[in-house]
Amino acid sequence: MGALWLLLIVSAQGQNMVINSGFEEIWECPFTMNQLKFTKSWFPFGTADPSPDFFHSCCINDFMGTPENVFGEQPAHGGEAYIGLISYLTSKSGRGWHVPENHREYAMIQLTKPLVAGHKYYAEMWVNLADNCEFAINSIGMYFTRDMPNFDWQAMNFNHYKPQITNPKDRMIDDHEGWTKVSGTFTAEGDELALTIGTFAPDSSLKIKKTKRKFSQVRDKRTPKHLQPQIAYYFIDDILVRPVDPMESIYPDPQISITEPEDDYFGPAEVGKKFTLQNIYFEFDQATLLRSSYLELNKLLTYLEKHRRVKIEIEGHTDNVGSREYNLLLSEARAKAVVDYLVAKGLNEFRLEYKGYGSNQPIVPNNSPQNQALNRRVEFLILEN
């Protein structure tokens, strides 16, 4: 029994619900700032135009390389890559820079499955204060939410967003030579799927420590040094999220059976009936299905295999963020991705049609992040039976 339990513990420690946790899987090598988009699965946010930076040893000019880069010198915690975030920024002058209060940069990713209500999860990340910055702070956290955040970052209420994992308030994150672990355990409220990393405390509540280092590179030389923007900038590497229970999988169990009869789950197979698919998730702003969607899609597959004469239309819908033309294309691509999944599972493609409606058919007003999440959906309409 002891050996089995040890095996389970080792297995659990090897699990990670964060895809590309060390930023090693990339689309391209970075060559300048604001290129988090070159890392697979990660997405940027920020309170101003700048977004997180990406550093990799494959950078040919060392500007965004590892270990040497524009912010100093720092080997990766693991592998050859990490990202960087502005967590605090101040200036006595706005010339050449628009420096709003609570200037922040964030990195976001979708987990491999939604968290289960009441279950405990362990999370950690490694942070390092960049060599060439003037401040250190005491607050960096990991914030888990049910939907991909669609915050109005320009007007963030920092007292509203409470990260489940954060650095202790009495500990400054001021090590610029080694890596500092930020970690903890929390209980899920249920269905949290997105992880956002950054500083969620407002400037007014941060503990700020001046360093003796100066960051003189890539600054506007026309502005006096005492008026230049000054920052607390952190490298982030090796993010981990896993269930505390070693028996819990990091993916939805594809073998979970439907307790209700299929007809009770989706309703009668009547022409003209429309059903909203639950827990269908895509990569942010993409049409790539996440594994956490497969459980619901497999229920639909079972339903269609039982009702062999049914022909359906898969319909994609978005919120109102972005242009109407872009949303139409995105919603159609997502509907097609669902059809492609069903066909790959053996369903006859002649029973399936797809169409994107963009933001043209909201079910609730797009006046809050919660309502926008409801409007981002995939439905199916029964065309023939």
Side-chain angles (χ1 to χ4, degrees):
M1 179 65 180
L4 175 60
W5 181 250
L6 178 61
L7 178 63
L8 291 173
I9 294 295
V10 172
S11 176
Q13 290 175 344
Q15 294 190 113
N16 195 348
M17 300 174 71
V18 179
I19 302 168
N20 196 16
S21 59
F23 312 100
E24 305 295 327
E25 299 179 26
I26 67 174
W27 299 111
E28 297 180 37
C29 292
F31 56 85
T32 188
M33 294 181 177
N34 306 341
Q35 292 183 333
L36 182 66
K37 62 184 179 181
F38 287 176
T39 67
K40 295 184 178 181
S41 302
W42 287 89
F43 306 97
F45 280 106
T47 55
D49 288 339
S51 63
D53 303 313
F54 168 49
F55 303 85
H56 196 286
S57 62
C58 66
C59 177
I60 61 174
N61 58 14
D62 288 336
F63 190 76
M64 304 302 293
T66 64
E68 296 182 357
N69 53 63
V70 66
F71 287 93
E73 182 175 354
Q74 181 60 45
H77 179 262
E80 300 179 275
Y82 46 74
I83 64 170
L85 310 172
I86 292 178
S87 297
Y88 174 75
L89 183 148
T90 185
S91 174
K92 297 179 181 179
S93 169
R95 188 171 76 182
W97 282 66
H98 176 61
V99 184
E101 185 180 10
N102 301 327
H103 181 104
R104 302 286 185 269
E105 293 180 342
Y106 300 91
M108 181 188 68
I109 195 168
Q110 287 183 322
L111 304 176
T112 56
K113 76 164 187 177
L115 304 185
V116 180
H119 287 206
K120 291 185 179 297
Y121 296 87
Y122 172 79
E124 74 176 31
M125 61 180 173
W126 293 85
V127 301
N128 169 267
L129 179 66
D131 289 336
N132 297 335
C133 57
E134 299 86 351
F135 294 102
I137 60 172
N138 67 327
S139 181
I140 292 181
M142 305 172 72
Y143 183 37
F144 296 84
T145 51
R146 293 182 179 179
D147 192 50
M148 300 298 282
N150 191 21
F151 307 137
D152 182 358
W153 297 101
Q154 298 288 347
M156 272 187 69
N157 178 358
F158 281 85
N159 295 312
H160 176 71
Y161 304 113
K162 303 295 184 184
Q164 291 87 340
I165 304 298
T166 189
N167 184 69
K169 292 182 178 179
D170 59 352
R171 183 181 71 173
M172 299 298 298
I173 311 175
D174 56 2
D175 189 348
H176 69 99
E177 295 182 350
W179 291 87
T180 299
K181 182 167 71 172
V182 176
S183 64
T185 301
F186 68 99
T187 301
E189 293 184 1
D191 295 328
E192 295 93 335
L193 181 66
L195 166 61
T196 306
I197 291 174
T199 294
F200 295 89
D203 288 351
S204 59
S205 68
L206 289 176
K207 290 185 178 180
I208 301 167
K209 174 183 176 181
K210 289 201 69 173
T211 70
K212 296 181 180 180
R213 301 183 298 279
K214 295 182 179 180
F215 182 22
S216 58
Q217 294 177 283
V218 298
R219 295 287 173 87
D220 187 349
K221 296 181 179 180
R222 297 170 297 177
T223 303
K225 288 184 178 180
H226 72 285
L227 297 181
Q228 293 278 6
Q230 299 176 335
I231 63 175
Y233 185 95
Y234 289 92
F235 298 132
I236 311 290
D237 200 5
D238 288 343
I239 295 92
L240 168 67
V241 178
R242 61 171 173 80
V244 170
D245 182 355
M247 297 296 292
E248 181 179 342
S249 171
I250 63 172
Y251 298 109
D253 186 354
Q255 302 303 321
I256 294 177
S257 62
I258 304 170
T259 56
E260 317 96 321
E262 289 82 357
D263 285 349
D264 289 343
Y265 186 78
F266 285 120
E270 300 176 359
V271 174
K273 287 284 187 179
K274 183 179 290 189
F275 307 94
T276 300
L277 295 170
Q278 305 298 316
N279 301 316
I280 302 298
Y281 302 106
F282 298 88
E283 287 193 6
F284 179 72
D285 208 30
Q286 301 292 325
T288 304
L289 280 164
L290 297 182
R291 285 187 58 165
S292 48
S293 305
Y294 296 171
L295 183 60
E296 181 78 354
L297 293 181
N298 288 342
K299 291 180 181 180
L300 175 58
L301 185 65
T302 300
Y303 181 82
L304 293 174
E305 288 174 344
K306 179 178 180 180
H307 301 280
R308 294 186 176 275
R309 293 188 300 174
V310 165
K311 182 177 180 179
I312 66 172
E313 177 182 83
I314 301 293
E315 302 179 349
H317 301 269
T318 69
D319 57 30
N320 65 341
V321 177
S323 70
R324 183 179 298 272
E325 294 77 11
Y326 179 81
N327 285 334
L328 281 171
L329 292 173
L330 177 62
S331 62
E332 181 172 315
R334 287 182 167 181
K336 183 179 184 299
V338 171
V339 168
D340 290 344
Y341 177 86
L342 296 173
V343 171
K345 289 293 184 178
L347 202 67
N348 191 319
E349 62 182 315
F350 294 105
R351 299 176 60 191
L352 303 169
E353 296 182 5
Y354 64 90
K355 187 173 182 179
Y357 290 90
S359 58
N360 295 332
Q361 296 183 1
I363 55 176
V364 291
N366 282 293
N367 55 9
S368 71
Q370 292 76 20
N371 281 1
Q372 288 172 328
L374 292 174
N375 287 328
R376 296 192 295 272
R377 66 197 190 278
V378 176
E379 299 175 330
F380 73 90
L381 171 68
I382 296 181
L383 300 175
E384 297 178 13
N385 185 3

